[in-house]
Amino acid sequence: MTPFPLSSAALLKSAADRVRSARPELADGLDLSSAQALRAVRAGLHGDRAAPADEVLAVVVIGRLDLPRWVRETCAFALALAPGEREAWRRSFTRTVYLAGSPSNLRERFSFDHVAGDDSVAWAGPAPGARTATLRRLLKAFEAADELTAQRSATVTVPGRPGARPAARRELYIATAKVSVTEALVHVNHLLAEAVLDGLIGPGDRLTLRFVPRLTGLGAQLAMLRVDTDVHRPDELQAYAGLTTEV
C-alpha cells in the first residue's frame, strides 16, 4: 500500500476514496473535488433523510474511558464481525453512536455483542437502528467536551491469535489540538474500524498510541488516515488520526 503524504491534495484524495470505498455505486454521481463539496456530500448522506433500508449503526456504551483499552476493545469488536456485518457497516460509513452508561447495569436488559473484560465499555451492532432504539432512548449521548490532552505513548496488543499473516507493529497517531475527547473517539473509531475491515489491523498486532497536536511533520509513513473538516480552517481538511505502515 502506498503511504499517504499530508498535502491538501492527499487529504482530499483520502476523504474522497473513503466515500468511493463505502458506496462505489454513488461515487460517480457525487462531486468529490473539494473540501466544501465533500462537506455537502456528507451532509446529504447523513442529514435528516430517511435512512436507507440497508443502513446499520453500532452503539457504544461507555462507563469508564481508558483510551488505550478502548482502542484494544474497539479492534476486538470489529474483528469479531461476520462478513455480512462488515460489509453493511462499511456501506454505512462505520456509523457509530456513543452513549454514557454502565454496561454492567444494562446487561440484563440489553444484549451486547462485545463487552470489555472490565465492563468499562460495551458494543451493540452494527445493526439496523430499530434494534438499538430502546437503548438509545434510555441513555444520554456520551459527551466529553474537554480538549484531548497529550498523553504518554502506550502500546496495546489486539486480542486474538495471528492468522494467515504474522502480527504487525504499527503506530497510531492521534491529533489533540482543539479536538475534544468525544471528537477524538469518533475519529479514532472510524480509523480503527476501517483498518480492521481493510485487513491493516489483525489479531496479535501491536499498536503504539502517540498523541500529537497535529499530524504534520511526523516523518512517519502513514498507511491510513482519518480526514475531516479542519477545526482551524473550516474550508480545508485535516488529518485527525493516522495509522502507520509496519514499523
Side-chain angles (χ1 to χ4, degrees):
M1 177 173 291
T2 303
F4 284 108
L6 288 174
S7 65
S8 296
L11 295 180
L12 177 61
K13 182 180 184 301
S14 176
D17 284 349
R18 181 173 183 256
V19 176
R20 296 187 183 100
S21 175
R23 300 299 295 270
E25 78 284 4
L26 297 179
D28 288 343
L30 299 174
D31 180 3
L32 305 174
S33 63
S34 68
Q36 297 91 328
L38 278 167
R39 190 162 59 244
V41 166
R42 187 173 67 172
L45 291 172
H46 302 295
D48 296 330
R49 74 199 192 322
D54 62 347
E55 184 170 276
V56 301
L57 59 87
V59 172
V60 184
V61 176
I62 302 173
R64 300 184 309 280
L65 180 61
D66 174 81
L67 198 52
R69 181 163 194 123
W70 179 82
V71 165
R72 178 184 184 275
E73 299 295 339
T74 297
C75 293
F77 165 70
L79 282 166
L81 299 179
E85 293 172 320
R86 292 184 174 211
E87 175 63 22
W89 202 25
R90 162 74 81 183
R91 287 179 54 80
S92 300
F93 297 94
T94 55
R95 183 184 175 199
T96 306
V97 174
Y98 304 83
L99 304 175
S102 170
S104 60
N105 292 340
L106 295 165
R107 292 177 78 168
E108 291 187 3
R109 294 183 57 190
F110 298 98
S111 175
F112 292 108
D113 295 284
H114 180 76
V115 182
D118 62 353
D119 275 339
S120 59
V121 191
W123 281 259
R131 177 181 153 187
T132 55
T134 302
L135 178 64
R136 288 184 284 121
R137 285 194 296 267
L138 175 68
L139 301 179
K140 294 182 179 180
F142 177 80
E143 296 180 356
D146 291 342
E147 182 174 302
L148 180 66
T149 57
Q151 303 177 30
R152 289 184 179 181
S153 298
T155 299
V156 300
T157 301
V158 178
R161 292 186 177 182
R165 68 163 175 81
R169 293 178 61 98
R170 299 181 187 272
E171 294 181 327
L172 172 62
Y173 283 91
I174 303 170
T176 62
K178 293 189 178 181
V179 180
S180 73
V181 173
T182 300
E183 290 166 341
L185 290 183
V186 171
H187 294 309
V188 175
N189 175 77
H190 283 303
L191 183 140
L192 291 174
E194 289 162 20
V196 168
L197 299 184
D198 286 351
L200 288 175
I201 293 177
D205 286 359
R206 291 173 62 82
L207 306 177
T208 298
L209 283 61
R210 302 197 183 279
F211 300 87
V212 293
R214 292 174 68 90
L215 272 68
T216 54
L218 297 178
Q221 298 291 302
L222 298 174
M224 177 174 279
L225 292 173
R226 165 62 183 176
V227 176
D228 206 337
T229 302
D230 193 323
V231 293
H232 307 275
R233 297 177 290 273
D235 289 334
E236 299 183 23
L237 297 172
Q238 175 181 345
Y240 286 90
L243 187 70
T244 69
T245 56
E246 293 188 48
V247 297

